[in-house]
């Protein structure tokens, strides 16, 4: 079948790399893609929010499977757009706009978790109308205070504040448009102290299969210091996730979430990303995402032995029941190479050298573009260098050795991925 992947990051390159090996894949297209995805398929100059152009392209190129990488188009309803007559036959990996609110609205997700008794931090939904209650709720909590813009805010909508007076001031500012429409509603949450990790499932809205778990490193600086980023590296599996914790995650979180999706009759064929935290051995949901993570995808996809297109096809046909994934027992570690200055201002279009000589790691492109035979940087996160090895420390070491072989002006990366494990 012909397949189109939407997106342009490391996640989409990892998906394209895996899908291009499938016997079921005839032609693979990526829109808009990057310099790396063009090695696995054909890049198409269409942006992920250009729904009409995407539809036209799918019809002209006999696309049978559309995989939506990022959350934006899902929250904006791309799946619903395709559920109409002429594109009804196209299978889509990604939920409807209604279901995508699990990521697109923090308040929606919290209500869902409350309804289905899924462990998560205590919370209150606040608007200008009940601001007094918001202040009272803050008074009742212990520091630090967690304030979340309800809507998508490019990963910047969560504030964690030490001082009560500052939290009240920020709450006011958020409701008054600090993050635009996204923070017209704010979710105040109890702060949970623990270690974060991520679990992923592929669902057809009724059944699911579990993918390998992962841990990402979000802060820009070594030792988990400095500003939050999209992710500076990741490890899979996560050594502290033992059998006991895993069973709690499945029984208390994954199963009731899928049951809730089914009970609510959500149109949900796609990935569920459970952002979790373990507090003294008990797992809680920090957030849901309605897609795979980046850079988590760069460590989980290489560990899947099965044919990914078959799995996605099973999800679309509603035949995931009793399927069990074959997962490599090797660890995967990815080290993200980023542009100098990221996550603040950075320059683009620096020439990248050395990727062609790497043969002991997979080099997934995150923010790159090809121009006149050269590969140039084209984003904050540039390359994700992934290694598989029986020892995750060794995997990190090999990724780092290969990172040294790749050069571009201003390159930066963390040397301590996995340091805490
Ligand atoms: P989110 O966008 O909801 O994933 O939040 C971004 C980050 O803020 C998370 O990855 C956590 O590190 C942190 N965070 C969010 N909610 C909480 C909470 N209730 N307690 C502690 N940390 C949190
Ligand atoms: N790495 C976190 C995310 O993809 O949201």
């Amino acid at each position: 079948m012909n397949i189109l992947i939407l997106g342009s990051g490391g996640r989409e390159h990892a998906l394209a790399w895996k899908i291009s090996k499938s016997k079921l894949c005839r032609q693979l297209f990526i829109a808009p893609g990057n310099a790396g995805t063009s090695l696995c398929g054909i890049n198409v100059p269409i942006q992920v929010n250009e729904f009409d152009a995407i539809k036209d392209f799918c019809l002209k190129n006999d696309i049978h499977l559309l995989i939506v990488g990022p959350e934006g188009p899902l929250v904006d309803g791309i799946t619903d757009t395709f559920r109409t007559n002429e594109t009804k036959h196209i299978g889509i990996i990604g939920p409807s706009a209604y279901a995508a609110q699990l990521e697109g609205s923090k308040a929606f997700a919290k209500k869902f978790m409350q309804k289905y008794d899924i462990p998560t931090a205590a919370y209150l939904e606040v608007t200008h109308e009940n601001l007094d209650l918001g202040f009272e709720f803050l008074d009742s909590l212990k520091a630090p205070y967690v304030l979340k813009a309800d809507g998508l805010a490019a990963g910047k909508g969560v504030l964690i504040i030490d001082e009560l007076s500052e939290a009240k001031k920020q709450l006011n500012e958020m409701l008054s448009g600090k993050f635009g429409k996204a923070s017209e509603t704010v979710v105040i949450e109890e702060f949970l102290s623990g270690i974060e990790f991520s679990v992923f499932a592929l669902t057809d809205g009724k059944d699911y299969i579990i993918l390998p778990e992962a841990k990402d490193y979000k802060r820009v600086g070594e030792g988990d210091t400095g500003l939050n980023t999209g992710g500076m590296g990741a490890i899979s599996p996560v050594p502290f996730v033992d059998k006991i914790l895993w069973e709690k995650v499945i029984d208390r979180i994954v199963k009731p979430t899928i049951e809730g999706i089914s009970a609510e009759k959500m149109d949900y064929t796609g990935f569920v990303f459970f952002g979790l935290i373990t507090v003294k051995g008990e797992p809680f949901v920090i957030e849901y995402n309605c897609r795979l993570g980046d850079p988590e995808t760069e460590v989980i996809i290489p560990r899947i032995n099965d044919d990914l297109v078959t799995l996605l096809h099973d999800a679309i046909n509603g035949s995931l029941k009793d399927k069990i994934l074959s997962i490599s027992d090797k660890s995967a570690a990815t080290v993200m190479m980023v542009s100098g200055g990221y996550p603040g201002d950075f320059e683009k279009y620096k020439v990248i050298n050395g990727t062609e000589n790497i043969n002991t790691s997979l080099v997934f492109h995150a923010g790159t573009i090809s121009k006149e035979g050269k590969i140039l940087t084209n984003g904050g996160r540039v390359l994700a260098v992934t290694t598989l090895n029986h020892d995750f420390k060794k995997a990190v070491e090999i990724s780092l050795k290969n990172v040294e072989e790749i050069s571009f002006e201003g390159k930066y990366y963390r040397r301590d991925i996995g340091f805490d494990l």
Side-chain angles (χ1 to χ4, degrees), residues 278-293:
T278 151
V279 182
K280 300 193 183 103
E282 306 302 322
F284 291 80
V285 178
I286 291 273
E287 64 166 350
Y288 289 120
N289 295 310
C290 59
R291 49 163 176 97
L292 287 176

Side-chain angles (χ1 to χ4, degrees), residues 128-167:
H128 265 307
E129 264 79 81
N130 65 347
L131 182 57
D132 287 349
L133 288 179
F135 288 155
E136 269 176 41
F137 187 61
L138 282 172
D139 286 331
S140 76
L141 295 172
K142 285 201 209 93
Y145 305 92
V146 182
L147 303 180
K148 298 185 173 183
D150 177 55
L152 295 182
K156 299 198 165 80
V158 176
L159 302 182
I160 298 182
I161 301 163
D162 288 327
E163 291 290 324
L164 180 61
S165 57
E166 180 61 18

